[in-house]
């Protein structure tokens, strides 16, 4: 039996289905029915918010969504769902914002202390300047790796070299999962095997980055890595941290 999640419908489709059954319901009526239900769910949302933000390790991402614009009939604007995910508890909090500016995470994370793992979006760097927050940013290896995959057609030799090092790092993470290592054991494994590879990656980027054209695909990939290398390195310091944000529910 299909889950209810695959049967969700926006109001305008529900209205059409009701019309086909001879039931005339205005869209405003459907909306007014939903509002009280949302109000009843507010305490649950606040409890979830407290639960998620009470962790000191979160993965954060933002995904665009088209939102109907009530000021322009038939038009939409781009809103964003900000996702706050706790890998340890495997719980997620969604926060809708009209834009992608710093106000959303600043308001949500006020008073937060701990790790925030993200992609390279500059807004997250700005959080380090906010009062009332004590944040350590953790990089996402998957985002860096994608740049080198795109650069294969531009500079196969350098791109393959970086991808081989990434592959080795991920093989170590797979070893930790397969052996069901706890956080301390994963930390010790990374110190033994992952840290030397990360050091080689850092030495390589320092030596090779000056030799490539900055605006080429490989140049952009190496710049992205060089700019975020210190944040990527952080995952080695705590066995609870993931190598990337692949577990985050958004893409």
């Amino acid at each position: 039996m299909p889950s209810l999640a695959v049967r969700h419908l926006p109001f305008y489709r529900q209205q059409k289905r009701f019309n086909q059954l001879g039931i005339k319901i205005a869209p405003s009526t459907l909306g007014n029915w939903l509002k009280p239900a949302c109000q009843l769910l507010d305490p649950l949302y606040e409890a979830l918010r407290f639960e998620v933000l009470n962790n000191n390790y979160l993965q954060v991402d933002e995904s665009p969504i088209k939102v109907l614009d009530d000021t322009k009939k038939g038009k939409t604007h781009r809103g964003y769902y900000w996702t706050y995910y706790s890998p340890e508890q495997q719980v997620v909090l969604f926060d809708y914002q009209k834009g992608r500016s710093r106000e959303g995470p600043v308001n949500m994370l006020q008073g937060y202390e701990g790790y925030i793992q993200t992609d390279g979006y500059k807004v997250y760097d700005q959080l380090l300047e906010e009062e009332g927050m004590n944040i350590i940013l953790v990089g996402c290896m998957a985002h860096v790796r994608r740049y080198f995959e795109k650069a294969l057609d531009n500079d196969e030799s350098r791109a393959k070299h970086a991808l081989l090092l990434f592959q080795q790092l991920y093989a170590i993470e797979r070893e930790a999962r397969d052996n069901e290592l706890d956080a301390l054991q994963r930390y010790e494994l990374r110190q033994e095997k992952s840290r030397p590879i990360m050091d080689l990656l850092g030495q390589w980027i320092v030596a090779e980055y000056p030799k490539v054209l900055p605006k080429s695909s490989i140049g952009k990939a190496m710049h992205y890595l060089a700019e975020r290398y210190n944040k990527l390195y952080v995952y080695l310091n705590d066995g609870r941290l993931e190598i990337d944000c692949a577990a985050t529910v958004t893409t």
Side-chain angles (χ1 to χ4, degrees):
M1 180 177 178
S3 69
L4 293 177
V6 301
R7 297 180 178 177
H8 74 279
L9 291 172
F11 281 165
Y12 77 93
R13 290 185 182 177
Q14 292 184 40
Q15 183 191 23
K16 287 183 178 180
R17 289 198 172 189
F18 280 124
N19 284 342
Q20 291 170 356
L21 296 172
I23 304 172
K24 305 295 184 181
I25 301 178
S28 58
T29 300
L30 292 173
N32 289 334
W33 285 348
L34 180 65
K35 288 179 181 178
C38 291
Q39 292 169 353
L40 290 174
L41 291 173
D42 275 346
L44 290 177
Y45 178 82
E46 290 303 318
L48 175 62
R49 182 174 183 271
F50 176 82
E51 188 72 16
V52 171
L53 298 181
N54 201 35
N55 292 273
N56 68 348
Y57 169 36
L58 296 177
Q59 294 177 342
V60 183
D61 194 15
E62 74 290 337
S63 295
I65 180 173
K66 289 184 178 180
V67 181
L68 289 174
D69 192 333
D70 55 7
T71 64
K72 300 176 182 177
K73 187 175 181 180
K75 300 292 184 180
T76 63
H77 67 264
R78 172 173 284 200
Y80 284 87
Y81 267 122
W82 292 75
T83 306
Y84 300 85
Y85 175 72
S86 167
E88 293 179 283
Q89 290 186 317
Q90 297 186 355
V91 291
V92 62
L93 175 73
F94 290 100
D95 178 46
Y96 173 76
Q97 296 288 327
K98 291 184 177 180
R100 202 184 178 203
S101 67
R102 65 192 290 177
E103 281 74 13
V106 165
N107 291 333
M108 179 62 71
L109 296 171
Q110 196 59 235
Y112 179 82
E113 296 186 3
Y115 295 105
I116 297 290
Q117 189 168 28
T118 71
D119 58 18
Y121 185 36
K122 292 293 185 182
V123 156
Y124 299 114
D125 289 314
Q126 296 171 6
L127 297 180
L128 299 175
E129 305 167 4
E130 290 291 328
E131 294 184 8
M133 296 186 193
N134 184 13
I135 290 175
I136 300 173
L137 290 181
V138 187
C140 173
M141 200 75 69
H143 281 83
V144 179
R145 185 177 58 182
R146 289 173 197 166
Y147 276 81
F148 285 94
E149 290 172 345
K150 293 177 181 178
L152 281 168
D153 293 338
N154 173 232
D155 190 330
E156 185 177 8
S157 176
R158 287 190 175 93
K160 276 190 172 180
H161 180 81
L163 289 171
L164 177 60
L165 294 177
F166 294 141
Q167 185 180 47
Q168 293 172 2
L169 290 170
Y170 275 90
I172 296 165
E173 296 304 302
R174 188 161 54 250
E175 177 184 345
R177 286 196 305 274
D178 290 346
N179 290 291
E180 299 182 347
L181 302 186
D182 61 25
L184 178 58
Q185 291 170 326
R186 186 157 67 159
Y187 167 80
E188 292 171 344
L189 178 67
R190 287 172 175 173
Q191 300 312 301
E192 177 188 353
K193 297 185 176 182
S194 303
R195 187 177 292 273
I197 298 172
M198 282 297 294
D199 290 341
L200 285 175
L201 182 63
Q203 294 164 12
W204 176 77
I205 198 73
V206 169
E208 295 298 317
Y209 183 35
K211 301 176 184 178
V212 302
L213 296 174
K215 293 186 178 180
S216 65
S217 294
I218 192 65
K220 292 177 181 178
M222 297 181 83
H223 173 76
Y224 193 89
L225 169 58
E227 195 172 44
R228 293 160 180 83
Y229 178 79
N230 289 338
K231 296 185 182 72
L232 293 169
Y233 207 90
V234 174
Y235 91 98
L236 300 174
N237 299 331
D238 192 325
R240 297 177 305 132
L241 305 179
E242 301 294 338
I243 192 172
D244 63 26
C245 297
T248 310
V249 295
T250 56
T251 58

